[in-house]
Amino acid sequence: MIEERNAEIKGARLPKREKEGANWHETTLIKRIAENEDRDAFKILYLMYCPRLVQFLRKLSRNVPLIEDVANETMLIVWQKAGSFNHTSKVSTWIFSIAYRQCLEAIRKAEEPVEMNLEDSLAPPEWEPEFGANCSQLKKQIENALYTLSVEQRSVIALTYYHGMSYEEIALTMNCPANTVKTRMFHARKKLKVLLSAYQKGES
Amino acid sequence: MNTNSEQTDTTMHEMVEELLPWYVTQSLRSSESDLVREHLRHCEQCRGEAKLARTLYATAYSTKDFESELDNDYADRTYDEINARIDALPSKPKFRRILKKLIPSWGHPTNWIPSVLAIQYMVIICLGFYLVSHNEEKVVYNALSAPRSAEANIVVVFQHETTITEMQEILQKNGAKIVDGPTASGAYLLSVSDKHIVPVIAHLRQEKTLIMVEPLSSMDGDHR
């Protein structure tokens, strides 16, 4: 399914020369959006990034309408501000940093609690039943334990484990020093360790 | 010596402990990875931490594909919606795109300084050209006497007791303007139109307050 999709994205209406050489990449897409308002390039970028953004944002909030709004708003900003992409970072870092800022703002406006109680975290997830049905108990507990962390700590965990970013890229995305990223990860891990060991003891 | 070595070990341990998550996801620089690998060989505590990091990574990885399919469907469903939103946006001003082509760094948040400096220098150069090309512009002053360009063609001497009002009346009546004077001898140089110099001299000579009225250049037959 994923392979089919990648083929679909790659096969979108790209100039023959670029298709043949397969040398088109994300910066080319951004350039084409900025210079020519190229909708085909935007569609490719949207199909590549929207799922990744939703996945990332889901780790930051459980509010599904908020996640969808932020993902779409982020991609709209990408369309409008493609010309301001300065090529000093990866396209992914730039897009994720927009999503991160937008999400923090949306959470603040929605007055959502950024941290939840341990009791809440151990409750079964209600936000996506189909997701829960397909996951093991451990996965569910990790997912729930994540929501006991601060939104900044959750972001570091999500960007590290779910999106494979280095700590330098995360620092750029979250606009903070690399040492802050390491500290956030350190505290997040300590907290998760306590929660998971409590869960494992309870299970045994 | 032992204390120093223990301190170094503690620092190394803390550093490695911080780097473990990115060691597991293989996103460290090779020098950092080597450091972590070496430390893990003899640190039981860090191996335990690495195990937790691997569990988190494995969980994330196994949920990723399932989530991806759901999110791909979402992206397919919502693309038309965002496309419609883009249609509704006001189109970007054309001049901005032209500017962007002329100055590629235009619009880059960190690269705008060279563009601004270039524009500033262009403005300074244009102003310089403007000043040089308009250097010969004539400045006109409205002074009490005739303009500098007016040439004196009559010399007159008033009586000592002549008042300024009387002088003004005589000059206005004859269309004459003072160009220079009074000189050391009390003479004034007047300028009148060349066409009227003869009748003006005749009129001035009839004024009782004028002691002397003489043309400065010899008058041609026409004037006489």
Side-chain angles (χ1 to χ4, degrees):
Chain A
M1 180 75 184
I2 291 169
E3 286 74 22
E4 276 172 28
R5 184 181 180 77
N6 287 341
E8 183 196 335
I9 290 171
K10 283 181 184 170
R13 279 181 288 154
L14 283 164
K16 203 181 168 197
R17 182 175 54 81
E18 292 184 29
K19 251 195 255 183
E20 281 172 353
N23 62 350
W24 62 274
H25 44 70
E26 295 171 7
T27 47
T28 313
L29 296 176
I30 290 284
K31 200 175 169 208
R32 282 167 50 177
I33 295 168
E35 289 177 3
N36 310 317
E37 297 189 359
D38 187 331
R39 293 285 181 106
D40 286 339
F42 180 71
K43 184 173 184 179
I44 296 165
L45 206 68
Y46 185 85
L47 295 178
M48 280 164 82
Y49 272 93
C50 187
R52 290 171 68 185
L53 290 179
V54 171
Q55 212 170 46
F56 167 57
L57 296 167
R58 196 180 282 135
K59 300 291 175 288
L60 271 59
S61 171
R62 285 177 148 171
N63 182 338
V64 177
L66 180 144
I67 292 169
E68 293 178 356
D69 277 354
V70 171
N72 281 341
E73 204 56 44
T74 302
M75 292 311 292
L76 203 62
I77 292 172
V78 169
W79 168 262
Q80 290 174 302
K81 305 279 179 189
S84 68
F85 175 65
N86 60 18
H87 301 267
T88 55
S89 64
K90 283 184 184 173
V91 172
S92 57
T93 312
W94 180 62
I95 296 179
F96 273 86
S97 69
I98 297 171
Y100 177 69
R101 281 199 305 274
Q102 290 291 315
C103 190
L104 287 190
E105 183 69 15
I107 288 174
R108 192 185 57 77
K109 277 187 190 160
E111 293 175 347
E112 257 190 26
V114 289
E115 285 180 68
M116 293 173 203
N117 295 327
L118 179 59
E119 290 74 27
D120 292 342
S121 79
L122 296 173
E126 291 167 5
W127 60 292
E128 269 192 14
E130 71 273 27
F131 174 73
N134 285 279
C135 286
S136 71
Q137 277 298 102
L138 177 64
K139 282 177 195 168
K140 272 192 270 178
Q141 287 303 320
I142 289 176
E143 285 288 320
N144 287 318
L146 275 178
Y147 286 97
T148 66
L149 308 176
S150 71
V151 71
E152 288 85 3
Q153 290 170 346
R154 285 206 297 272
S155 301
V156 173
I157 294 272
L159 293 172
T160 303
Y161 292 118
Y162 292 78
H163 298 278
M165 283 194 189
S166 68
Y167 61 82
E168 289 103 337
E169 286 171 329
I170 298 173
L172 282 174
T173 303
M174 297 176 73
N175 194 24
C176 66
N179 277 339
T180 307
V181 173
K182 289 178 188 170
T183 310
R184 282 173 180 164
M185 173 60 97
F186 184 78
H187 291 299
R189 276 165 50 212
K190 291 282 169 217
K191 209 166 175 181
L192 285 176
K193 199 176 167 184
V194 172
L195 287 171
L196 292 175
S197 62
Y199 162 73
Q200 278 160 355
K201 271 179 198 166
E203 204 179 39
S204 62
Chain B
M1 194 68 186
N2 265 350
T3 318
N4 279 347
S5 165
E6 278 165 19
Q7 271 178 351
T8 314
D9 283 351
T10 312
T11 314
M12 177 63 77
H13 174 78
E14 285 167 358
M15 202 176 85
V16 167
E17 209 177 9
E18 279 184 344
L19 294 176
L20 276 173
W22 295 285
Y23 173 74
V24 166
T25 60
Q26 297 180 339
S27 51
L28 288 180
R29 282 189 289 267
S30 61
S31 57
E32 289 174 322
S33 281
D34 294 344
L35 214 70
V36 175
R37 198 176 299 114
E38 182 59 32
H39 180 79
L40 281 177
R41 275 191 200 171
H42 54 81
C43 182
E44 183 68 36
Q45 197 186 336
C46 281
R47 281 202 293 272
E49 289 291 332
K51 199 178 165 189
L52 170 71
R54 280 198 192 94
T55 308
L56 287 171
Y57 189 40
T59 309
Y61 217 81
S62 62
T63 56
K64 219 171 162 182
D65 282 355
F66 173 71
E67 285 188 351
S68 288
E69 290 202 10
L70 288 180
D71 298 334
N72 286 345
D73 289 345
Y74 170 76
D76 287 336
R77 275 188 283 115
T78 53
Y79 178 72
D80 289 341
E81 190 189 309
I82 198 158
N83 216 13
R85 283 182 73 186
I86 290 170
D87 284 337
L89 289 172
S91 63
K92 292 178 189 173
K94 238 180 183 176
F95 77 90
R96 204 175 287 178
R97 270 184 277 158
I98 294 166
L99 204 62
K100 175 91 188 161
K101 279 191 177 171
L102 289 174
I103 309 168
S105 63
W106 188 264
H108 287 185
T110 53
N111 295 348
W112 59 272
I113 296 172
S115 308
V116 170
L117 282 176
I119 292 169
Q120 186 186 319
Y121 286 127
M122 277 165 68
V123 169
I124 291 170
I125 290 166
C126 289
L127 278 174
F129 275 117
Y130 177 81
L131 285 174
V132 168
S133 61
H134 288 74
N135 203 17
E136 291 164 9
E137 195 177 322
K138 289 171 184 173
V139 182
V140 178
Y141 294 99
N142 290 322
L144 286 172
S145 59
R148 190 186 165 88
S149 59
E151 278 185 28
N153 45 13
I154 301 173
V155 59
V156 294
V157 177
F158 287 93
Q159 283 180 348
H160 270 301
E161 53 273 18
T162 313
T163 62
I164 291 173
T165 316
E166 285 171 333
M167 282 168 68
Q168 283 174 343
E169 275 175 17
I170 291 165
L171 294 173
Q172 278 171 3
K173 205 163 63 186
N174 293 288
K177 288 177 178 173
I178 295 173
V179 175
D180 205 354
T183 62
S185 56
Y188 287 92
L189 296 177
L190 303 185
S191 165
V192 294
S193 160
D194 284 343
K195 285 179 188 173
H196 305 117
I197 190 163
V198 177
V200 168
I201 287 175
H203 283 135
L204 289 174
R205 282 179 177 161
Q206 284 169 11
E207 295 289 342
K208 291 174 185 171
T209 53
L210 281 164
I211 302 166
M212 186 189 86
V213 177
E214 290 300 328
L216 283 174
S217 55
S218 60
M219 288 187 289
D220 296 334
D222 286 351
H223 292 151
R224 288 175 197 277

